[in-house]
Amino acid sequence: MKVLVTGADGFIGKNLGVALRERDGFEMLAITRASSDADLAAAVANADAVVHLAGVNRPQDPAEFARGNADFTARLCALLAASRRAVPVAFASSIQAERDNPYGSSKRIAEDHLTRYAEASGAAVGLYRLANVFGKWSRPNYNSAVATFCHNLARGLPIQVNDPAAPVRLVYIDDVVAELLRFLLGPGEGARFLEAGPVYATTVGELARQIEAFKDVRNSLVSERVGTGLVRALYATYVSFLPPEAFSYSVPKHGDARGIFVEMLKTPDCGQFSFFTAHPGITRGGHYHHTKTEKFLVIKGRARYRFRHLLTDETFEVESHGDEPLIVETIPGWAHDITNIGEDELVVMLWANEIFDRQRPDTVASRV
């Protein structure tokens, strides 16, 4: 499928272009501001489908709204009609089309041009009134508060929030691209308003607070809940704005005669991750927990785990080594320790189900 993409060098276009290249059976015909009328005509003549992303949203002269949005779409529709083929079109409109302002009016007129093209040709047209799109490769200091906040905070620059309570609706770039791909594979019939989503509703102040929290993680080591929904998408966006010199960061290392201990990451409600080392013959642990649980994984070396039940004195031992990925769990009510029984340094990855609390450590010294 040859897909004509207008605005191919824009934010959405760059992400869509990468997604198309990842998949077999797609060829992108890129149209940008540098393309000539002849380039556009040739692309239309060869296109099996169109994703119309080109537009103007922050011109110096308001008259550019009409030229860049309405008039360009009219020219595109005329070329499509002249091809006498029912070429499907997905159009990136805007929620501003619901408003009576120059930008919204120009988008609404563009929608009308495409609707008439669909009616005359029988082609499928998907009209997407997109909320504020955010994600990697978005442009800061332009028209996206998310991009500006992420860019500035990732570089230690200040951000400005004029009205923290101002509502904002957001849609993530990966969700937009996924919907555009779905349209290309099954465009349907006629002109229809379609949705890319989910659409997230929040405020400017909450956006700023959340993105600032991402920056603080490197100091506190306590991660935000970045696994799902809006926070997941915002975190990916924030990290994408980090300059290369900020791709890495140091964490504290605690050492003594036994070896070292390093905390990597803590979570609000899913515990923390760390690792420790032990020199040959060294035993670590020698304590029990009432509620806390842990998982150990030997990365390098050989280890012997010993357990003793606090009430019955029942004992248990298990050995593991770095060539065998064996998880060993500590059990509440059982004292436990771990000994390096090899000739090399022992390196062990550790997950605990809760962040260590010095005021309530739930770690009681006890022989094994």
Side-chain angles (χ1 to χ4, degrees), residues 216-231:
D216 294 339
V217 167
R218 291 190 171 189
N219 295 319
S220 69
L221 299 185
V222 181
S223 173
E224 294 292 293
R225 294 176 173 86
V226 296
T228 59
L230 176 60
V231 180

Side-chain angles (χ1 to χ4, degrees), residues 161-185:
V161 178
N162 296 322
D163 181 4
V168 60
R169 294 170 62 198
L170 302 169
V171 61
Y172 185 45
I173 184 62
D174 286 8
D175 296 322
V176 173
V177 168
E179 170 57 25
L180 293 174
L181 291 172
R182 185 212 60 76
F183 177 88
L184 291 173
L185 294 173

Side-chain angles (χ1 to χ4, degrees), residues 265-297:
L265 181 69
K266 305 175 184 180
T267 69
D269 49 14
C270 293
Q272 67 177 57
F273 297 86
S274 56
F275 80 89
F276 64 84
T277 67
H279 302 307
I282 291 295
T283 297
R284 305 192 69 145
H287 55 241
Y288 64 86
H289 312 297
H290 289 288
T291 303
K292 181 190 298 184
T293 63
E294 301 159 315
K295 295 179 186 288
F296 292 85
L297 174 64

Side-chain angles (χ1 to χ4, degrees), residues 153 208-218 220 222 224:
L153 291 171
R209 186 210 64 77
Q210 181 60 80
I211 297 169
E212 285 174 333
F214 296 148
K215 179 183 177 182
D216 294 339
V217 167
R218 291 190 171 189
S220 69
V222 181
E224 294 292 293

